[in-house]
Amino acid sequence: MTEEVADINDFKAQLSKLRHDLRTPVGHILGYAEMIEEDLPPDLLKTFSGDLQAIQNAGHKMLALIEDFLGASTASPEEVNVGDAQFQFRMQLNHINGYSEMIFEEATDLDEAEFISDLENIAEAGRAALSLVDAIPQRLLEKNTNKKTAPKKEGKRSPQQDISIINSQIGQGGELLLVDDDPSNRELLRRRVKRMGYSARTVSSGEEALAILETDRFDLVLLDYMMPGLSGLETLQRMKASSRLRTIPVIMLSASDDIEMMVDCILQGAEDYIFKPFNPILLQARISACLEKVRLRQNISKQFRIFISSPGDVIPERRVAKSVIGRLNEEFFGRAYLIPILWEEEPMLASETFQAQIHPPHETEIYVGILWSRIGSPLPDTILRPDGTRYESGTAFEFEDALGGFKQQGSPEMLLYRKQGAPTLSLEDREVVLDRLDQIDKLSQYLDRWLIGDDGSYIGAFHMFQTEEQLDTMLEMHLRKLVEARLAQDASVQTDAA
């Protein structure tokens, strides 16, 4: 590797870490602002909702600015307009700080300790973000110049500061399932992990846990050992006996200090254990470390990016696709990791076109197109085919981009699904009905052009479905077979090379 290439790789790694570090305090700002909105009684929410919304808007703008100035496509420090970036970041942080102070001044006379605490957490996160913004020039050059800075001497930190540091270094959020038969324990644990930045759902028994795990996906289960009915240990054993559920990490909880009991849980497949009443810092560290191990295994697995393409009339089916991918990730854990490419999960900036911001379909491993009664909205004149003609819609653009990639490089694999049946429309608006009929005709003509030859024979294949359940079954089966085939192919190549 040349020195120039090494410098570029160093810069890319440093840039990625800077993006991660900046997103962490911004995530805290958004999280605590959202918690305040959720916890405030209606009369106080009415008073502070405008300022809280302004804080959240500034936080979301910060996330967008991180991508604008420090995005993955940036190749060198010279491409970063540091002065403008720092100005834009500081302006949003000033908004966050200003609105927080205004709320704090009005809230100090209220008997709302949790409210005040969350405002202080927002302020602390804002200071952390400002420190990172001030250090952008040094951070961009730090890896390349191999500069070493002496560690800062810090005074004694509060437990909340310790939690923030742990969360900044290794915690990245996740969906947790909390299982405990005691209602107070469930509520306390739910609020605690929610404040640590995780999403959480609660159930009161092992039976409920197994039922919900069959339909919904979770990153981690916190499981009480002593429960009536199906005990925590029995629930753990059933999870580990399931080909799909065995990959979900489990942390056992127990008010007993019986070490042998907890060792038995570890031998049965639990990732870790925590004694109750738990120390919040230790709880955060155990959860974060557990999820970090999961993500490490995902990163070393064979990754498959899956582009989900569809017009706006099949939104429920997009959720089906995401759910299927989640289940397959549990099944293929340690072997393959499926990454859904969904535009709705990205911060789409109004200043740019949709197509300019989405991940290119031809740069993914699998393309999944789901169609029904619309071909989609027309694209601007600035987005044309290589021959100068206009795409019929964004859906057409995505399909042809993926197809072009397959013809040139053999990737992505392409799966196409079409929903049967007519959409439900009100007959009161004649224009709406005629527009949908026109959309159906355009979609049919487009598919005929690409999938049916001049002699009427099919030159391309697609699958028909009527219900979400049918799509769920088909898509899971098809994706499983594609991934298995790719994994077998890779294994064969490695065997031949050896």
Side-chain angles (χ1 to χ4, degrees):
M1 181 185 295
T2 66
E3 183 176 347
E4 182 179 357
V5 172
D7 286 345
I8 292 174
N9 290 340
D10 285 347
F11 171 74
K12 287 282 191 178
Q14 189 62 21
L15 189 69
S16 176
K17 187 175 187 305
L18 178 57
R19 286 197 303 271
H20 170 271
D21 291 350
L22 273 170
R23 288 185 186 122
T24 298
V26 175
H28 294 171
I29 290 167
L30 291 171
Y32 284 118
E34 290 167 358
M35 280 199 297
I36 290 173
E37 282 191 325
E38 293 170 4
D39 293 342
L40 281 181
D43 55 333
L44 291 181
L45 181 59
K46 185 176 181 180
T47 301
F48 298 111
S49 62
D51 292 343
L52 287 169
Q53 190 59 56
I55 291 172
Q56 292 180 63
N57 289 343
H60 285 297
K61 181 62 176 176
M62 284 278 290
L63 293 177
L65 289 171
I66 291 170
E67 293 303 316
D68 281 353
F69 288 103
L70 307 169
S73 61
T74 307
S76 67
E78 291 73 25
E79 292 183 23
V80 181
N81 188 333
V82 174
D84 192 20
Q86 290 181 309
F87 173 79
Q88 296 288 346
F89 283 129
R90 286 170 182 152
M91 183 167 62
Q92 300 307 319
L93 288 169
N94 284 338
H95 291 167
I96 292 167
N97 183 59
Y99 283 108
S100 297
E101 287 182 353
M102 286 192 292
I103 298 175
F104 190 86
E105 290 172 1
E106 295 184 51
T108 49
D109 295 331
L110 300 174
D111 186 19
E112 296 283 345
E114 191 171 77
F115 183 17
I116 301 298
S117 175
D118 288 344
L119 287 172
E120 291 173 343
N121 291 333
I122 291 174
E124 177 64 28
R127 289 191 289 271
L130 180 60
S131 177
L132 289 167
V133 168
D134 289 340
I136 285 177
Q138 295 86 353
R139 290 288 298 272
L140 291 179
L141 297 171
E142 184 177 273
K143 190 84 173 179
N144 288 341
T145 57
N146 293 316
K147 289 182 179 179
K148 294 184 178 179
T149 56
K152 292 175 64 176
K153 293 184 178 180
E154 297 180 351
K156 185 177 180 180
R157 296 188 298 266
S158 68
Q160 181 59 49
Q161 287 174 314
D162 284 332
I163 291 174
S164 297
I165 291 171
I166 293 170
N167 194 39
S168 172
Q169 291 175 345
I170 57 178
Q172 295 184 11
E175 184 76 22
L176 276 54
L177 179 63
L178 315 179
V179 189
D180 197 307
D181 63 297
D182 185 280
S184 297
N185 285 347
R186 289 198 304 274
E187 178 60 16
L188 177 62
L189 187 58
R190 183 193 67 81
R191 293 197 63 183
R192 183 71 70 186
V193 299
K194 189 175 181 183
R195 292 192 177 280
M196 293 172 179
Y198 304 102
S199 300
R201 292 169 64 181
T202 63
V203 294
S204 60
S205 69
E207 291 87 350
E208 285 184 78
L210 293 174
I212 198 171
L213 285 167
E214 286 299 326
T215 57
D216 298 338
R217 182 185 178 278
F218 295 90
D219 298 297
L220 173 66
V221 176
L222 297 181
L223 180 60
D224 186 35
Y225 183 87
M226 298 290 292
M227 293 188 295
L230 202 64
S231 71
L233 181 60
E234 291 169 327
T235 305
L236 173 67
Q237 290 170 335
R238 294 197 186 185
M239 287 181 63
K240 297 307 173 182
S242 167
S243 60
R244 191 173 69 81
L245 302 182
R246 62 183 172 79
T247 61
I248 303 174
V250 177
I251 294 179
M252 301 299 296
L253 307 173
S254 177
S256 169
D257 59 0
D258 187 343
I259 295 294
E260 290 185 4
M261 177 187 70
M262 302 313 291
V263 169
D264 186 33
C265 289
I266 298 297
L267 294 175
Q268 295 289 340
E271 290 284 334
D272 212 331
Y273 62 88
I274 299 174
F275 293 126
K276 296 187 290 186
F278 45 77
N279 179 298
I281 298 175
L282 178 61
L283 177 68
Q284 169 71 70
R286 294 280 175 86
I287 293 174
S288 297
C290 184
L291 292 178
E292 192 67 15
K293 286 193 289 184
V294 171
R295 293 183 178 109
L296 178 61
R297 293 171 193 162
Q298 290 172 341
N299 289 336
I300 63 177
S301 302
K302 173 72 174 179
Q303 295 191 352
F304 295 86
R305 294 162 296 181
I306 304 178
F307 190 96
I308 312 297
S309 173
S310 69
D313 57 337
V314 289
I315 294 299
E317 287 74 13
R318 293 176 68 83
R319 290 194 291 268
V320 168
K322 186 176 180 182
S323 176
V324 166
I325 290 172
R327 295 200 303 270
L328 289 175
N329 273 331
E330 293 171 353
E331 181 178 326
F332 285 112
F333 185 76
R335 300 170 57 208
Y337 182 48
L338 283 59
I339 305 170
I341 307 297
L342 295 156
W343 63 262
E344 56 265 40
E345 296 185 354
E346 299 299 326
M348 291 293 165
L349 305 179
S351 55
E352 297 183 57
T353 65
F354 176 92
Q355 283 69 31
Q357 298 182 74
I358 61 174
H359 188 94
H362 73 268
E363 292 183 2
T364 60
E365 283 69 45
I366 301 174
Y367 163 92
V368 174
I370 309 172
L371 305 171
W372 184 19
S373 63
R374 295 185 70 247
I375 193 171
S377 305
L379 298 183
D381 293 338
T382 54
I383 302 178
L384 301 173
R385 292 188 177 95
D387 63 4
T389 58
R390 293 188 64 180
Y391 290 98
E392 286 79 353
S393 67
T395 300
F397 168 83
E398 294 166 8
F399 174 80
E400 293 179 40
D401 185 80
L403 185 62
F406 177 77
K407 290 179 177 179
Q408 291 180 16
Q409 63 206 22
S411 182
E413 300 280 9
M414 299 185 66
L415 293 170
L416 193 60
Y417 301 87
R418 187 170 185 186
K419 187 175 181 178
Q420 294 177 299
T424 302
L425 296 173
S426 171
L427 298 178
E428 294 180 359
D429 194 327
R430 178 182 177 85
E431 290 187 6
V432 170
V433 175
L434 292 177
D435 177 69
R436 184 55 61 90
L437 290 173
D438 182 57
Q439 281 277 321
I440 293 173
D441 286 342
K442 289 180 178 177
L443 178 59
S444 296
Q445 292 167 12
Y446 184 80
L447 290 177
D448 288 348
R449 186 196 320 163
W450 287 101
L451 302 178
I452 299 180
D454 295 336
D455 61 355
S457 62
Y458 280 95
I459 57 175
F462 63 94
H463 299 275
M464 303 291 284
F465 70 96
Q466 289 183 317
T467 66
E468 293 175 31
E469 290 75 17
Q470 290 174 339
L471 176 64
D472 186 290
T473 301
M474 282 197 300
L475 184 58
E476 180 174 334
M477 176 176 59
H478 298 157
L479 286 178
R480 180 185 291 110
K481 287 184 176 181
L482 279 181
V483 173
E484 288 280 15
R486 283 289 188 96
L487 292 175
Q489 183 181 15
D490 289 348
S492 176
V493 171
Q494 292 174 2
T495 301
D496 293 342

